[in-house]
């Protein structure tokens, strides 16, 4: 499994109907209905986030918006985004190749539920909005990237830690796998708190926790993370949930090379290390080191 760590910004998604109605077809609004536009460019950088692939393209390719009235009844349409009781269209389908959708609804208050999927069908993003007193205007629909509880990880940069030493434990908050790659959930779409289970915690952020081992030759350093983010509850629904994960490493005087991002200088050790020829690589490519 590949994890791709990219500099995400949360996005405000401007959604537009896949089969947007050409100008003129609904130039006049049917009696008893009001028009509302779902708009904003996609992709457009804003205050909320969605995952992007390595080429910078939005991974979410399709968004289906379901609209419910004040009694939680699903609204249906005539195939042209015009409300029709018992109509065959139960959602507004939006894609990143379109930019706006005009929807005709009876006056009232509505809840909009948006589910974003990748081109290959993976459910990656979700959002809710309330639409009050429909009488024209436009709405920008915000989406939140969904975290995958099975991929949530606390990763230390080595398989062990020296006594009285500081290491940064990295928090990995991924989406579900898309074509074998997990994308990183934007930091704007989750919050986290850390608790040291052994050793001392010197600080933390949404990216991880700085830990320090006790000055002893045995024991371990461990940290637990409680992450609050959006988690799928069905094929097109999600809820803000709390998920916990923990990680630890033993204290040892013989240390193992980094287990993640070994060639990334930001995760390399500070201090002096010499290669220990008596220890073979323990994780398929690195060498073990002894402190000097």
């Amino acid at each position: 499994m590949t994890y791709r760590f990219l500099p995400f910004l949360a996005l405000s998604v401007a959604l537009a109907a896949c089969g947007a109605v050409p100008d003129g077809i609904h130039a006049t609004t049917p009696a008893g209905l009001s028009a509302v536009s779902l708009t904003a460019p996609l992709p457009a950088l804003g205050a909320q986030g969605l995952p992007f692939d390595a080429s910078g393209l939005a991974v979410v390719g399709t968004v289906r918006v379901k609209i419910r009235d004040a009694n939680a009844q699903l609204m249906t349409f005539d195939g042209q985004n015009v409300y029709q009781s018992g109509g065959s269209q139960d959602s507004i389908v939006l894609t990143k190749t379109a930019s706006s959708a005009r929807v005709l609804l009876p006056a009232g208050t509505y809840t909009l539920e948006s589910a974003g999927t990748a081109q290959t069908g993976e459910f990656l993003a979700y959002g809710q909005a309330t639409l009050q007193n429909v009488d024209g205007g436009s709405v920008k629909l915000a989406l939140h990237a969904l975290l995958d509880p099975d991929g949530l990880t606390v990763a230390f940069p080595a398989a062990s830690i020296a006594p009285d030493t500081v290491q940064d434990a990295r928090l990995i908050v991924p989406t579900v796998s898309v074509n074998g790659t997990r994308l990183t959930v934007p930091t704007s779409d989750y919050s986290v708190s850390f608790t040291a289970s052994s050793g001392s915690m010197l600080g933390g952020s949404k990216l991880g926790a700085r830990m320090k081992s006790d000055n002893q030759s045995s024991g371990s350093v461990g940290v637990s993370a409680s992450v609050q983010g959006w988690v799928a509850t069905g094929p097109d629904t999600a809820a803000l949930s709390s998920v916990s994960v923990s990680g630890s490493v033993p204290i040892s005087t013989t240390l193992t090379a980094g287990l993640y991002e070994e060639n990334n200088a930001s995760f390399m050790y500070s201090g002096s290390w010499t290669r220990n020829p008596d220890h073979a690589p323990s994780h398929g490519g690195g060498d073990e080191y002894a402190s000097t």
Side-chain angles (χ1 to χ4, degrees), residues 24-82:
I25 288 184
H26 296 307
T28 59
T29 301
L33 300 181
S34 298
V36 60
S37 295
L38 308 180
T39 113
L42 176 65
L45 296 180
Q48 298 201 343
L50 287 176
F52 276 65
D53 64 19
S55 63
L57 296 177
V59 177
V60 172
T62 301
V63 175
R64 294 182 180 274
V65 183
K66 292 187 175 181
I67 303 177
R68 298 181 184 275
D69 66 13
N71 296 317
Q73 295 299 308
L74 182 65
M75 306 300 287
T76 56
F77 303 88
D78 66 352
Q80 300 281 342
N81 299 339
V82 178

Coordinates of all heavy atoms in Angstrom, one line a residue, residues 24-82:
G24 N -32.5 28.9 -21.3 CA -33.7 29.1 -22.1 C -34.7 28.0 -21.8 O -35.9 28.3 -22.0
I25 N -34.3 26.8 -21.5 CA -35.3 25.7 -21.2 C -36.2 26.0 -20.0 O -37.4 25.8 -20.1 CB -34.6 24.4 -21.0 CG1 -34.0 23.9 -22.4 CG2 -35.6 23.3 -20.5 CD1 -33.4 22.5 -22.3
H26 N -35.5 26.6 -19.0 CA -36.3 27.0 -17.8 C -36.2 28.5 -17.6 O -35.9 29.0 -16.5 CB -35.9 26.2 -16.6 CG -36.1 24.8 -16.7 ND1 -37.3 24.2 -17.0 CD2 -35.3 23.7 -16.5 CE1 -37.2 22.9 -17.0 NE2 -36.0 22.6 -16.7
A27 N -36.2 29.2 -18.7 CA -36.1 30.7 -18.6 C -37.2 31.3 -17.7 O -37.0 32.3 -17.0 CB -36.2 31.3 -20.0
T28 N -38.3 30.6 -17.7 CA -39.4 31.0 -16.8 C -39.6 29.9 -15.7 O -39.5 28.8 -16.0 CB -40.7 31.2 -17.5 OG1 -41.1 30.0 -18.1 CG2 -40.6 32.3 -18.6
T29 N -39.8 30.4 -14.5 CA -39.9 29.4 -13.4 C -41.4 29.0 -13.3 O -42.3 29.8 -13.2 CB -39.5 30.1 -12.1 OG1 -38.1 30.5 -12.2 CG2 -39.6 29.1 -10.9
P30 N -41.6 27.7 -13.2 CA -43.0 27.2 -13.1 C -43.6 27.7 -11.8 O -43.0 27.9 -10.8 CB -42.8 25.6 -13.0 CG -41.5 25.4 -13.7 CD -40.7 26.6 -13.4
A31 N -44.9 27.9 -11.8 CA -45.7 28.4 -10.7 C -45.4 27.5 -9.5 O -45.5 26.3 -9.6 CB -47.2 28.5 -11.0
G32 N -45.2 28.1 -8.3 CA -45.0 27.4 -7.1 C -43.6 27.0 -6.8 O -43.3 26.4 -5.8
L33 N -42.7 27.2 -7.8 CA -41.3 26.8 -7.6 C -40.4 28.0 -7.6 O -40.7 29.0 -8.2 CB -40.9 25.8 -8.7 CG -41.7 24.5 -8.9 CD1 -41.1 23.7 -10.0 CD2 -41.6 23.7 -7.6
S34 N -39.3 27.8 -6.9 CA -38.2 28.9 -6.9 C -36.9 28.3 -7.3 O -36.7 27.1 -7.1 CB -38.1 29.5 -5.4 OG -39.3 30.1 -5.0
A35 N -36.1 29.1 -7.9 CA -34.8 28.6 -8.4 C -33.7 28.9 -7.4 O -33.6 29.9 -6.7 CB -34.5 29.3 -9.7
V36 N -32.7 27.9 -7.3 CA -31.5 28.1 -6.5 C -30.4 27.5 -7.4 O -30.5 26.5 -8.0 CB -31.6 27.4 -5.1 CG1 -31.8 26.0 -5.3 CG2 -30.4 27.8 -4.3
S37 N -29.3 28.2 -7.4 CA -28.1 27.8 -8.1 C -27.0 27.2 -7.2 O -26.7 27.8 -6.1 CB -27.5 28.9 -8.9 OG -28.4 29.4 -9.9
L38 N -26.5 26.0 -7.5 CA -25.4 25.4 -6.8 C -24.2 25.8 -7.6 O -24.0 25.3 -8.8 CB -25.5 23.9 -6.7 CG -26.9 23.4 -6.1 CD1 -26.9 21.9 -6.0 CD2 -27.1 24.1 -4.8
T39 N -23.3 26.6 -7.1 CA -22.2 27.1 -7.9 C -20.9 27.3 -7.2 O -20.9 27.3 -5.9 CB -22.5 28.5 -8.5 OG1 -21.7 29.5 -8.0 CG2 -23.9 28.9 -8.4
A40 N -19.8 27.3 -8.0 CA -18.4 27.6 -7.6 C -17.5 26.8 -8.5 O -17.9 25.7 -8.9 CB -18.2 27.3 -6.1
P41 N -16.4 27.3 -8.8 CA -15.5 26.6 -9.7 C -14.9 25.3 -9.0 O -14.7 25.3 -7.8 CB -14.4 27.6 -10.0 CG -14.4 28.5 -8.9 CD -15.8 28.6 -8.4
L42 N -14.7 24.3 -9.8 CA -14.1 23.1 -9.3 C -13.0 22.7 -10.2 O -13.2 22.5 -11.4 CB -15.1 22.0 -9.2 CG -14.6 20.6 -8.8 CD1 -14.1 20.6 -7.4 CD2 -15.6 19.5 -9.0
P43 N -11.7 22.6 -9.7 CA -11.4 22.8 -8.3 C -11.0 24.3 -8.1 O -10.5 24.9 -9.0 CB -10.1 21.9 -8.2 CG -9.5 22.0 -9.5 CD -10.6 22.0 -10.5
A44 N -11.4 24.8 -6.9 CA -11.0 26.1 -6.5 C -10.5 26.1 -5.1 O -11.1 25.4 -4.3 CB -12.2 27.0 -6.6
L45 N -9.4 26.7 -4.9 CA -8.8 26.7 -3.5 C -9.6 27.6 -2.6 O -10.0 28.7 -3.0 CB -7.4 27.2 -3.6 CG -6.4 26.3 -4.3 CD1 -5.0 26.9 -4.3 CD2 -6.4 24.9 -3.8
G46 N -9.9 27.1 -1.4 CA -10.7 27.8 -0.5 C -10.3 27.4 0.9 O -9.2 27.1 1.2
A47 N -11.3 27.4 1.8 CA -11.0 27.2 3.2 C -11.2 25.8 3.7 O -11.0 25.4 4.8 CB -11.9 28.1 4.1
Q48 N -11.7 24.9 2.7 CA -11.9 23.5 3.1 C -11.2 22.6 2.1 O -10.8 23.0 1.1 CB -13.4 23.3 3.2 CG -14.1 24.1 4.3 CD -15.4 23.6 4.7 OE1 -15.9 22.7 4.1 NE2 -15.8 24.0 5.9
G49 N -11.1 21.4 2.4 CA -10.2 20.6 1.7 C -10.7 19.3 1.1 O -11.5 18.6 1.7
L50 N -10.1 18.9 0.0 CA -10.3 17.6 -0.7 C -9.0 17.1 -1.1 O -8.1 17.9 -1.5 CB -11.2 17.8 -1.9 CG -12.7 18.0 -1.7 CD1 -13.4 18.2 -3.0 CD2 -13.3 16.8 -0.9
P51 N -8.8 15.8 -1.2 CA -7.5 15.3 -1.7 C -7.3 15.5 -3.2 O -8.2 15.5 -4.0 CB -7.6 13.8 -1.3 CG -9.1 13.5 -1.3 CD -9.7 14.8 -0.8
F52 N -6.0 15.7 -3.5 CA -5.6 15.9 -4.9 C -4.6 14.7 -5.2 O -4.0 14.2 -4.4 CB -4.9 17.2 -5.2 CG -5.9 18.3 -5.5 CD1 -6.8 18.8 -4.5 CD2 -5.9 19.0 -6.7 CE1 -7.6 19.8 -4.7 CE2 -6.7 20.0 -7.0 CZ -7.6 20.4 -6.0
D53 N -4.5 14.4 -6.5 CA -3.6 13.4 -6.9 C -2.2 14.0 -7.2 O -2.0 15.2 -7.0 CB -4.0 12.5 -8.1 CG -4.2 13.4 -9.4 OD1 -3.6 14.5 -9.4 OD2 -4.9 12.9 -10.3
A54 N -1.2 13.2 -7.6 CA 0.2 13.7 -7.7 C 0.3 14.8 -8.8 O 1.2 15.6 -8.8 CB 1.1 12.6 -8.0
S55 N -0.7 14.8 -9.8 CA -0.6 15.7 -10.9 C -1.4 17.0 -10.5 O -1.4 18.0 -11.3 CB -1.2 15.1 -12.1 OG -2.6 14.8 -11.9
G56 N -1.9 17.1 -9.3 CA -2.6 18.3 -8.9 C -4.1 18.3 -9.3 O -4.8 19.3 -9.1
L57 N -4.6 17.2 -9.8 CA -6.0 17.2 -10.2 C -6.9 16.7 -9.0 O -6.5 15.8 -8.2 CB -6.2 16.2 -11.4 CG -5.6 16.7 -12.7 CD1 -5.8 15.6 -13.7 CD2 -6.1 18.0 -13.1
A58 N -8.1 17.2 -8.9 CA -9.0 16.8 -7.8 C -9.3 15.3 -8.0 O -9.7 14.9 -9.1 CB -10.3 17.6 -7.8
V59 N -9.2 14.5 -7.0 CA -9.5 13.1 -7.0 C -11.0 12.9 -7.1 O -11.5 11.9 -7.7 CB -8.9 12.3 -5.8 CG1 -9.2 10.9 -5.9 CG2 -7.4 12.5 -5.9
V60 N -11.8 13.7 -6.4 CA -13.2 13.6 -6.5 C -13.7 14.0 -7.8 O -13.5 15.2 -8.3 CB -13.9 14.5 -5.4 CG1 -15.4 14.5 -5.6 CG2 -13.5 14.0 -4.0
G61 N -14.3 13.1 -8.6 CA -14.8 13.4 -9.9 C -16.3 13.6 -10.0 O -16.7 14.3 -11.0
T62 N -17.0 13.1 -9.1 CA -18.5 13.1 -9.2 C -19.1 13.4 -7.8 O -18.6 12.9 -6.8 CB -19.1 11.8 -9.7 OG1 -18.6 11.6 -11.0 CG2 -20.6 11.9 -9.8
V63 N -20.0 14.3 -7.7 CA -20.7 14.6 -6.5 C -22.2 14.4 -6.7 O -22.8 15.0 -7.7 CB -20.4 16.0 -6.0 CG1 -21.2 16.3 -4.7 CG2 -18.9 16.1 -5.7
R64 N -22.9 13.7 -5.8 CA -24.3 13.5 -5.9 C -24.9 14.2 -4.7 O -24.6 14.0 -3.6 CB -24.7 12.0 -5.9 CG -24.3 11.3 -7.1 CD -24.7 9.8 -7.1 NE -24.3 9.1 -8.3 CZ -24.9 9.1 -9.5 NH1 -26.1 9.7 -9.6 NH2 -24.5 8.5 -10.5
V65 N -25.8 15.2 -5.0 CA -26.4 16.0 -3.9 C -27.9 15.5 -3.8 O -28.7 15.6 -4.7 CB -26.4 17.5 -4.3 CG1 -27.0 18.3 -3.2 CG2 -25.0 17.9 -4.6
K66 N -28.2 15.0 -2.6 CA -29.6 14.7 -2.2 C -30.2 15.8 -1.4 O -29.5 16.3 -0.5 CB -29.6 13.3 -1.5 CG -29.3 12.2 -2.4 CD -29.5 10.8 -1.7 CE -29.2 9.7 -2.6 NZ -29.4 8.4 -1.9
I67 N -31.4 16.1 -1.7 CA -32.1 17.3 -1.1 C -33.3 16.7 -0.3 O -34.1 16.0 -0.9 CB -32.5 18.3 -2.1 CG1 -31.3 18.8 -2.9 CG2 -33.2 19.5 -1.5 CD1 -31.6 19.7 -4.1
R68 N -33.4 17.1 1.0 CA -34.5 16.7 1.8 C -35.2 17.9 2.4 O -34.6 18.9 2.7 CB -34.0 15.8 3.0 CG -33.4 14.5 2.5 CD -32.9 13.6 3.6 NE -32.2 12.4 3.1 CZ -32.8 11.3 2.7 NH1 -34.1 11.2 2.8 NH2 -32.1 10.3 2.3
D69 N -36.5 17.7 2.5 CA -37.3 18.9 3.0 C -37.3 18.9 4.6 O -36.6 18.1 5.2 CB -38.7 18.8 2.5 CG -39.5 17.6 3.0 OD1 -39.1 16.9 4.0 OD2 -40.6 17.4 2.4
A70 N -38.0 19.8 5.1 CA -38.0 20.0 6.6 C -38.5 18.7 7.3 O -38.2 18.6 8.5 CB -38.8 21.2 7.0
N71 N -39.2 17.8 6.7 CA -39.7 16.6 7.2 C -38.8 15.4 6.9 O -39.2 14.2 7.1 CB -41.1 16.3 6.8 CG -42.1 17.3 7.3 OD1 -42.0 17.7 8.4 ND2 -43.0 17.8 6.4
A72 N -37.6 15.7 6.4 CA -36.6 14.7 6.0 C -37.0 13.8 4.8 O -36.5 12.8 4.6 CB -36.2 13.8 7.2
Q73 N -38.0 14.3 4.0 CA -38.4 13.6 2.9 C -37.5 13.9 1.7 O -37.2 15.1 1.4 CB -39.9 13.9 2.5 CG -40.9 13.5 3.6 CD -40.9 12.0 3.8 OE1 -41.0 11.2 2.8 NE2 -40.8 11.5 5.0
L74 N -37.1 12.9 1.0 CA -36.2 13.1 -0.2 C -37.0 13.7 -1.3 O -38.0 13.2 -1.7 CB -35.6 11.7 -0.6 CG -34.6 11.7 -1.8 CD1 -33.4 12.5 -1.4 CD2 -34.3 10.3 -2.2
M75 N -36.4 14.8 -1.9 CA -37.0 15.5 -3.0 C -36.6 14.7 -4.3 O -35.5 14.3 -4.4 CB -36.6 16.9 -3.1 CG -36.8 17.7 -1.8 SD -38.5 17.8 -1.3 CE -39.2 18.9 -2.5
T76 N -37.6 14.7 -5.2 CA -37.3 14.1 -6.5 C -37.6 15.1 -7.6 O -38.3 16.1 -7.4 CB -38.2 12.8 -6.7 OG1 -39.6 13.2 -6.6 CG2 -37.9 11.7 -5.7
F77 N -37.0 14.8 -8.8 CA -37.0 15.7 -9.9 C -37.4 15.0 -11.2 O -37.4 13.8 -11.3 CB -35.6 16.4 -10.0 CG -35.2 17.1 -8.7 CD1 -34.5 16.3 -7.7 CD2 -35.5 18.4 -8.5 CE1 -34.1 17.0 -6.5 CE2 -35.1 19.0 -7.3 CZ -34.4 18.3 -6.3
D78 N -37.5 15.9 -12.2 CA -38.0 15.4 -13.5 C -36.9 15.0 -14.5 O -37.2 14.7 -15.7 CB -38.9 16.5 -14.2 CG -38.1 17.7 -14.6 OD1 -36.9 17.8 -14.2 OD2 -38.7 18.6 -15.2
G79 N -35.7 14.9 -14.0 CA -34.5 14.7 -14.9 C -33.9 15.9 -15.4 O -32.8 15.9 -16.1
Q80 N -34.5 17.1 -15.2 CA -34.0 18.4 -15.6 C -33.7 19.3 -14.4 O -33.7 20.5 -14.5 CB -34.9 19.0 -16.6 CG -35.2 18.3 -17.8 CD -34.1 18.4 -18.9 OE1 -33.3 19.3 -18.8 NE2 -34.1 17.5 -19.8
N81 N -33.6 18.7 -13.2 CA -33.4 19.4 -11.9 C -34.6 20.3 -11.5 O -34.5 21.2 -10.8 CB -32.2 20.3 -12.0 CG -30.9 19.5 -12.3 OD1 -30.8 18.3 -12.0 ND2 -29.9 20.2 -12.8
V82 N -35.8 19.9 -12.0 CA -37.0 20.6 -11.6 C -37.8 19.6 -10.7 O -38.0 18.5 -11.1 CB -37.9 20.9 -12.9 CG1 -39.2 21.6 -12.5 CG2 -37.1 21.9 -13.8

